[in-house]
Amino acid sequence: QENQLRLEEERRAEQEFNRCDNRLYRWVGTKYEKLEPYKLNVEQFISNLPLTIGAVALAIVTLGVVWFKFAEEMLDSCQPVHFHSSQCSFHEFPGCFYCDTSSRIYQVAFKIHTGCSVLAGIISMLFFAKIFLARRVVIDEMNQPTTSSPAGLICMTIVCVFAGRGTIGQIMVTIAAALHFCLAAWFIYMAIRYHILPDPSWYPNTVGIGISAVKIWLYYPIAGHFLMATSLSLGFFFFPISLFRVALNKKISAPVAWIQMSAPAVSLYALTIMAQPSFKEEHPDITQFQRVHRLIYMPCMHFLFIMAIVGAISSVQGLKTRWTAFSNRAFSPAHAAFCFPALAHVNAIQAYRGAVDTFSEIGPKSTFKIALDTYWFSTLILSTIASIIITAKFFYMLPSWTLIDVLDEMEPPEPGATRLSKHILDGDGETLRNDFVSPAVLQANETGALVRLPGRLHGQTRYRRTR
């Protein structure tokens, strides 16, 4: 009887073992165990993504915009209309056009524009995945002005990707614009606390809010005008100081100096919302509107265009004077800074050309207009080539920056435990002309970066500082 009971238990155990759901569970478990190392690598990869990936994402979405606008301007089947017209094919600054969407060239341009937006959107979403997987790393980066300076690029990318894309786009643009404004306030507070002076690395978090102004204007004009005024005010205040420091302070790095051209470019781009009437009429009478803009808007655009050219010259001069030291350094995440400023400059020149065509009496065959068009097209080609090359190399090098081995490295101190923290709190900040590297930068170099290590210890995620 005992043998029969034992055989019955074995038979039931075998039936339970061979049940379909149990076999599926064991199969999934086996596959999961095999995928576990890859899962940990993906988590580490996302957790250690450098914030400068935002520069690459912004460059990609801007690349789609500038070439889409180029196609709209060049096609005879596209005619300019105002933003509140139902004929506006795609709500995208600078300018809005009514186009024959059946044109093959237009369809190719639109697909490139959409592809760039999708890719940039995926990259920007990786930042939110990083917040979910490694919140401690993000908090550490956001608590230091040197490491948090690229964060605004993520907000700029999101508003560019989602603007004009239905209710979801409206929600995303509103959230991103609000976050960008809060980020600007937080960054300025940190800059005051660290006693540092403006340089081009400030622009993504501060003046860059002009991009958010343009996109949120599509939904909330008053909010757009407010953020535009904020961007212009910060630009007029920070740009002269930054211009002076890049020219005289050789301790500012070449990638940071290159960002110089982005401030006046974003400010000019933000001002373009003033060129669009706020009234929602299909065929409005814009005679008075144009007369006022010729008196006020165009002089402002001319002034900002001159600032944009000065900014571009400063960027080139800053790169040239630092080229010897810069060319000997290995490719790093900071090199992403060479992507978006040039494309932002192209976008600004494109917007300025639209203003000249609409509100100025300068003829299309004039010397100024020919020179402007030549300059615009040349910078468009050069910035596109440079951005593609830098972006490709950035993604090629990305695994080596995120899958980090720190076994043989001594861990750097926490920011509050550095030798420079006392000097910073005592007010030993920057001057207009520094003979030495900024204390805030030296502190960031001493503390290194907080990174996530592979695997877990007692079920907890492992973190460590590394240079």
Side-chain angles (χ1 to χ4, degrees):
Q1 188 175 5
E2 290 180 0
N3 289 336
Q4 289 179 350
L5 291 174
R6 182 169 54 81
L7 291 173
E8 182 68 19
E9 289 177 358
E10 290 177 356
R11 184 178 63 79
R12 290 177 180 175
E14 184 177 358
Q15 288 178 347
E16 184 71 18
F17 182 83
N18 291 325
R19 280 179 57 185
C20 181
D21 56 341
N22 287 334
R23 289 202 304 271
L24 177 63
Y25 179 80
R26 290 194 303 274
W27 182 82
V28 172
T30 303
K31 296 300 181 183
Y32 182 81
E33 290 177 359
K34 292 181 180 179
L35 293 174
E36 183 68 14
Y38 300 100
K39 174 178 171 290
L40 294 176
N41 283 340
V42 170
E43 289 181 351
Q44 187 186 12
F45 175 83
I46 295 175
S47 300
N48 296 332
L49 283 173
L51 281 182
T52 52
I53 198 171
V56 174
L58 183 59
I60 291 172
V61 69
T62 307
L63 201 62
V65 170
V66 294
W67 281 105
F68 182 63
K69 288 292 132 186
F70 174 82
E72 285 185 322
E73 285 195 28
M74 295 298 109
L75 288 173
D76 294 333
S77 57
C78 291
Q79 299 298 323
V81 295
H82 68 83
F83 268 70
H84 295 300
S85 171
S86 60
Q87 294 178 319
C88 184
S89 300
F90 197 87
H91 295 274
E92 181 71 80
F93 276 98
C96 203
F97 292 81
Y98 173 65
C99 297
D100 177 11
T101 56
S102 63
S103 169
R104 185 173 181 81
I105 297 178
Y106 177 86
Q107 290 178 352
V108 171
F110 183 76
K111 288 179 181 178
I112 293 174
H113 180 278
T114 303
C116 289
S117 296
V118 170
L119 179 57
I122 292 173
I123 295 172
S124 61
M125 290 301 107
L126 289 176
F127 174 73
F128 294 97
K130 178 176 178 176
I131 295 175
F132 177 76
L133 293 172
R135 184 171 62 254
R136 185 177 163 187
V137 173
V138 176
I139 293 173
D140 184 79
E141 291 173 334
M142 297 304 296
N143 275 315
Q144 220 271 356
T146 303
T147 53
S148 66
S149 58
L153 298 166
I154 302 294
C155 298
M156 296 158 71
T157 302
I158 291 173
V159 297
C160 290
V161 168
F162 287 96
R165 300 187 186 276
T167 304
I168 297 297
Q170 181 177 356
I171 294 172
M172 293 297 295
V173 169
T174 303
I175 293 174
L179 288 175
H180 203 168
F181 181 78
C182 295
L183 178 62
W186 170 248
F187 182 83
I188 292 172
Y189 164 76
M190 283 197 298
I192 295 172
R193 182 169 169 264
Y194 274 76
H195 309 284
I196 58 177
L197 292 174
D199 65 46
S201 68
W202 286 35
Y203 296 156
N205 287 345
T206 56
V207 185
I209 205 170
I211 301 291
S212 298
V214 171
K215 303 306 178 183
I216 202 170
W217 177 87
L218 297 172
Y219 309 105
Y220 310 106
I222 294 177
H225 290 148
F226 172 73
L227 293 184
M228 178 201 71
T230 302
S231 176
L232 289 170
S233 301
L234 294 175
F236 286 136
F237 182 68
F238 293 154
F239 183 68
I241 301 173
S242 179
L243 200 66
F244 183 87
R245 296 193 68 218
V246 167
L248 298 180
N249 186 0
K250 299 301 186 290
K251 296 300 180 180
I252 294 176
S253 66
V256 171
W258 184 256
I259 304 175
Q260 185 77 278
M261 70 174 76
S262 65
V266 171
S267 296
L268 188 154
Y269 180 69
L271 192 62
T272 56
I273 65 178
M274 300 303 296
Q276 298 298 330
S278 299
F279 38 76
K280 297 187 177 182
E281 299 178 21
E282 193 62 34
H283 300 290
D285 180 11
I286 59 173
T287 304
Q288 179 64 18
F289 181 79
Q290 288 184 326
R291 182 160 51 248
V292 171
H293 274 63
R294 287 193 181 100
L295 292 175
I296 301 174
Y297 176 72
M298 281 311 299
C300 294
M301 290 295 283
H302 291 320
F303 179 72
L304 286 172
F305 172 71
I306 294 172
M307 284 182 59
I309 297 299
V310 171
I313 294 172
S314 175
S315 293
V316 173
Q317 181 268 342
L319 177 61
K320 182 179 178 181
T321 56
R322 295 163 175 80
W323 179 255
T324 302
F326 171 72
S327 60
N328 293 325
R329 295 182 179 178
F331 191 87
S332 71
H335 283 67
F338 288 101
C339 292
F340 78 93
L343 288 171
H345 182 72
V346 171
N347 204 28
I349 301 304
Q350 206 166 26
Y352 176 71
R353 290 175 61 253
V356 169
D357 292 340
T358 304
F359 299 106
S360 175
E361 296 180 355
I362 299 175
K365 300 298 183 182
S366 65
T367 303
F368 174 77
K369 194 65 168 60
I370 294 173
L372 180 63
D373 290 345
T374 303
Y375 176 72
W376 165 63
F377 186 71
S378 301
T379 52
L380 174 61
I381 295 296
L382 293 175
S383 60
T384 298
I385 294 173
S387 296
I388 291 174
I389 293 174
I390 294 171
T391 298
K393 190 163 185 178
F394 184 92
F395 282 115
Y396 175 77
M397 297 293 295
L398 202 52
S400 64
W401 298 331
T402 54
L403 305 176
I404 303 169
D405 182 10
V406 295
L407 289 177
D408 299 327
E409 182 181 340
M410 182 179 293
E411 185 173 8
E414 295 290 329
T418 60
R419 291 171 292 179
L420 286 165
S421 59
K422 183 178 182 300
H423 295 284
I424 292 173
L425 294 176
D426 288 343
D428 297 334
E430 297 178 333
T431 59
L432 285 177
R433 183 170 182 170
N434 275 17
D435 293 325
F436 302 98
V437 178
S438 162
V441 175
L442 290 175
Q443 185 195 43
N445 291 338
E446 186 177 355
T447 61
L450 185 68
V451 297
R452 177 173 173 170
L453 300 179
R456 290 179 174 82
L457 183 63
H458 305 304
Q460 299 294 320
T461 304
R462 299 190 302 151
Y463 296 97
R464 185 177 176 183
R465 307 198 75 84
T466 178
R467 293 191 181 94

